[in-house]
Amino acid sequence: MLLRVLLEGVGLGVILMLVCAVGIRNGAVGMVHLYHADVQERCVALGLTTREKIRKNALRFKAVCLPIYIAYVLIFVYAVNGARGFLTGFWQLFGILFVLNLMDRFLIDEWWVGHTKAWTIPGTEQMKPYINAQDKSGSGSSAPSACWGSRRSSPGSWR
């Protein structure tokens, strides 16, 4: 059962990666709502996007991710795995979301955003790293995953 839950977490991580890939298909500015506020402001100043587009993309991202995440974990935990009761369901939900967050932190944030050019927005290169040490330590972030909010904006500010 543990292996199944871990694999289901990997599946959810792959879904997140696909959503992100679709979001940056025409350039990383399409997902600028996940960046710090200063990067967002620079993109607006450069004419790459508008505040309204950033707001709409953030809402669209949440509207797509949250229902998918909730449906995915509930279907796998209760329908596929047959969990009954709170404790059995809780540890499976925790396991799936834990694996998702590890994939988000290390594969997406550290490798994809930090070490590839896919997430580089022209005109903001000097603002790298987009995900700094404070973000990685969690001291500047109050959100557990990309879909819960603009975790890469300044600490305490939700969009």
Side-chain angles (χ1 to χ4, degrees), residues 102-116 129 131-133 136 151-152:
L102 286 176
M103 290 180 69
D104 182 30
R105 168 63 180 90
F106 292 109
L107 289 178
I108 296 174
D109 292 349
E110 185 67 30
W111 176 73
W112 199 8
V113 176
H115 295 291
T116 70
I131 303 171
N132 59 38
K136 292 177 185 178
R151 68 187 164 129
R152 293 183 182 102

Side-chain angles (χ1 to χ4, degrees), residues 40-101:
Q40 294 176 16
E41 292 303 318
R42 175 71 59 89
C43 290
V44 170
L46 292 171
L48 299 173
T49 190
T50 65
R51 286 185 184 87
E52 183 62 21
K53 279 186 180 178
I54 293 171
R55 188 187 67 78
K56 284 183 180 179
N57 285 342
L59 291 174
R60 186 178 303 124
F61 186 74
K62 292 172 191 175
V64 168
C65 284
L66 288 176
I68 290 172
Y69 280 16
I70 292 168
Y72 182 97
V73 295
L74 292 176
I75 288 168
F76 273 96
V77 169
Y78 291 102
V80 175
N81 296 348
R84 299 290 176 255
F86 174 78
L87 192 57
T88 306
F90 176 80
W91 84 259
Q92 290 182 35
L93 289 167
F94 177 81
I96 291 170
L97 294 174
F98 183 76
V99 171
L100 164 72
N101 284 322

Side-chain angles (χ1 to χ4, degrees), residues 34 36 62 101 104 109 131-159:
L34 296 176
H36 283 281
K62 292 172 191 175
N101 284 322
D104 182 30
D109 292 349
I131 303 171
N132 59 38
Q134 185 180 12
D135 298 328
K136 292 177 185 178
S137 72
S139 60
S141 173
S142 58
S145 71
C147 286
W148 294 108
S150 183
R151 68 187 164 129
R152 293 183 182 102
S153 56
S154 58
S157 68
W158 285 86
R159 289 192 163 62

